Amino acid sequence: ARRAPAPVAARRSVAVAADSKSAAADKASELLDTVSDAWDKTEDKASVVTLGSTALIALWVATGVVAYVDKLPLLPFIFELVGISYSGYFVYRYLLFKPDREELGEKIDDIKSKIF
């Protein structure tokens, strides 16, 4: 005797995906409006373009330097060791104990208040 197939639950992800796409489109539109307003308010546009271009060139050069250093035989291992060591220190210093986590939260809130 053959068994009847099990009933399949209907998916509702289509509605959620549509909502998330419209929310993303709204955020993108809001960001574009903000950037456009900031660009319109900028008085010295040539300096802003020059600064942005210089930043992109510096990023490109830094990427090249990192790629070159990564090819050297011993340095990637040393950098990896330093990264792992600092990550361990950070976890021990700020995340392991509750008072330290609260201190980190206060530092983050302080930095956010200075920025915004």
Side-chain angles (χ1 to χ4, degrees):
R2 289 186 154 183
R3 288 186 156 176
V8 179
R11 291 187 174 178
R12 297 181 188 253
S13 62
V14 175
V16 173
D19 289 341
S20 66
K21 286 182 181 178
S22 65
D26 290 343
K27 287 277 189 183
S29 175
E30 180 181 330
L31 179 65
L32 185 61
D33 291 340
T34 304
V35 170
S36 295
D37 290 342
W39 182 253
D40 291 339
K41 291 178 184 176
T42 302
E43 293 178 13
D44 195 8
K45 292 181 168 114
S47 294
V48 172
V49 170
T50 303
L51 182 63
S53 301
T54 304
L56 287 175
I57 291 170
L59 181 64
W60 178 65
V61 169
T63 303
V65 169
V66 169
Y68 177 75
V69 167
D70 193 38
K71 292 178 185 176
L72 296 175
L74 192 57
L75 286 179
F77 173 73
I78 293 172
F79 286 148
E80 186 175 350
L81 188 62
V82 168
I84 291 170
S85 300
Y86 185 77
S87 297
Y89 165 76
F90 184 84
V91 167
Y92 175 76
R93 174 66 179 92
Y94 291 112
L95 302 177
L96 203 56
F97 304 108
K98 186 173 182 173
D100 297 334
R101 285 192 301 267
E102 291 170 354
E103 177 186 352
L104 178 63
E106 291 172 3
K107 285 183 179 182
I108 291 172
D109 290 339
D110 184 44
I111 291 171
K112 285 191 323 190
S113 68
K114 288 179 183 177
I115 293 173
F116 301 116

